[in-house]
């Protein structure tokens, strides 16, 4: 008995024939899109109208969302302005309490009154530190800084011209913004 071995060449004609049949059968099957009729003009108009309506609704939702966001932002700004001094006011309450206690003291003890005033000043300094209020205290001989000092008077002095001779009132800044400049006397320029 001899076994017959089939080589690919022997089957190739058969395979090609089967492949052609498969291709022909695939071509004969109509695609689903070809069987459908194209949409009518009215159907297309209806789809366009529906899409336009959907677009309008989305635009209205977007506008409403933007208006709500703008309104909330304005309310937050108003609340911020309204309660901007809240932290400082809370820090000042103990100062007021100490001043009222000092006025109620009828003991006549000067040392106790002095100690109470010192405690009040300490409380005020704590409040200033907590709210970023800092003193502007120029020293005699410092150059006049128009951003932080206000010359109230010019006096004859041995110092250089336009230097601070004396501080009449301290100045204050709030977070690097000048609340009140230091009021100073300034040395006059030499007579020539």
């Amino acid at each position: 008995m001899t076994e017959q071995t089939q080589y690919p060449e022997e089957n190739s004609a058969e395979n090609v024939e089967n492949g052609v049949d498969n291709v022909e059968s695939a071509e004969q099957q109509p695609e689903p899109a070809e069987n459908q009729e194209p949409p009518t003009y009215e159907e297309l108009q209806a789809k366009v109208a529906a899409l336009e309506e959907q677009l309008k609704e989305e635009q209205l939702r977007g506008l409403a969302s933007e208006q709500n966001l703008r309104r909330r932002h304005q309310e937050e700004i108003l609340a911020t302005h309204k309660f901007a001094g809240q932290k400082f006011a809370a820090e000042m309450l103990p100062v007021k309490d100490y001043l009222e206690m000092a006025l109620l003291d009828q003991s006549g003890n000067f040392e106790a009154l002095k100690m109470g005033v010192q405690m009040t000043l300490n409380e005020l300094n704590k409040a200033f530190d907590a709210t970023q209020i800092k003193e502007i205290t120029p020293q005699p001989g410092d150059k006049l800084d128009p951003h932080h000092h206000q010359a109230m008077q010019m006096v004859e002095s041995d110092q250089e011209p336009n230097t601070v001779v004396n501080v009449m009132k301290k100045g204050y800044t709030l977070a690097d913004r000048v609340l009140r400049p230091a009021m100073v006397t300034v040395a006059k320029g030499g007579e020539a």
Side-chain angles (χ1 to χ4, degrees):
M1 270 173 104
T2 57
E3 288 182 30
Q4 286 189 335
T5 311
Q6 290 185 347
Y7 293 101
E9 290 88 23
E10 294 174 358
N11 282 336
S12 65
E14 190 179 307
N15 287 340
V16 169
E17 227 175 80
N18 287 339
V20 169
D21 287 342
N22 288 341
V23 170
E24 286 174 1
S25 65
E27 286 176 0
Q28 291 171 357
Q29 293 176 352
E31 292 182 9
E34 289 178 9
N35 281 344
Q36 293 179 350
E37 291 182 25
T40 64
Y41 180 74
E42 288 80 20
E43 290 173 340
L44 289 175
Q45 288 268 344
K47 282 185 181 181
V48 168
L51 289 172
E52 285 177 346
E53 186 63 33
Q54 184 181 357
L55 181 62
K56 283 181 186 176
E57 287 176 12
E58 287 179 13
Q59 285 176 333
L60 287 175
R61 266 191 242 114
L63 285 173
S65 175
E66 185 180 333
Q67 286 175 346
N68 286 339
L69 185 63
R70 200 176 282 143
R71 179 186 47 79
R72 279 195 303 264
H73 183 66
Q74 287 174 345
E75 287 172 357
E76 287 174 9
I77 289 173
L78 288 174
T80 301
H81 286 295
K82 185 176 182 180
F83 298 109
Q86 183 175 359
K87 182 178 180 184
F88 183 69
E91 294 290 335
M92 293 304 296
L93 294 178
V95 175
K96 183 178 186 297
D97 293 339
Y98 284 141
L99 288 172
E100 288 173 346
M101 286 190 301
L103 289 175
L104 292 175
D105 182 25
Q106 298 294 322
S107 68
N109 184 346
F110 181 73
E111 289 301 316
L113 182 63
K114 187 176 176 183
M115 185 177 75
V117 170
Q118 184 61 50
M119 287 173 53
T120 304
L121 181 59
N122 293 343
E123 234 9 82
L124 184 61
N125 286 331
K126 281 187 211 174
F128 279 14
D129 287 342
T131 55
Q132 299 180 2
I133 296 176
K134 295 185 174 49
E135 291 182 353
I136 300 173
T137 53
Q139 300 300 311
D142 288 352
K143 275 285 201 195
L144 180 69
D145 178 358
H147 300 291
H148 292 99
H149 309 148
Q150 183 175 351
M152 301 302 291
Q153 182 178 12
M154 295 193 85
V155 294
E156 296 291 333
S157 174
D158 296 337
Q159 293 179 191
E160 287 184 41
N162 292 325
T163 57
V164 174
V165 175
N166 189 22
V167 178
M168 299 169 76
K169 279 188 182 177
K170 294 178 186 176
Y172 293 92
T173 61
L174 172 61
D176 299 326
R177 178 183 281 182
V178 175
L179 289 174
R180 180 180 81 190
M183 297 178 187
V184 296
T185 56
V186 180
K188 278 186 183 178
E191 300 289 326

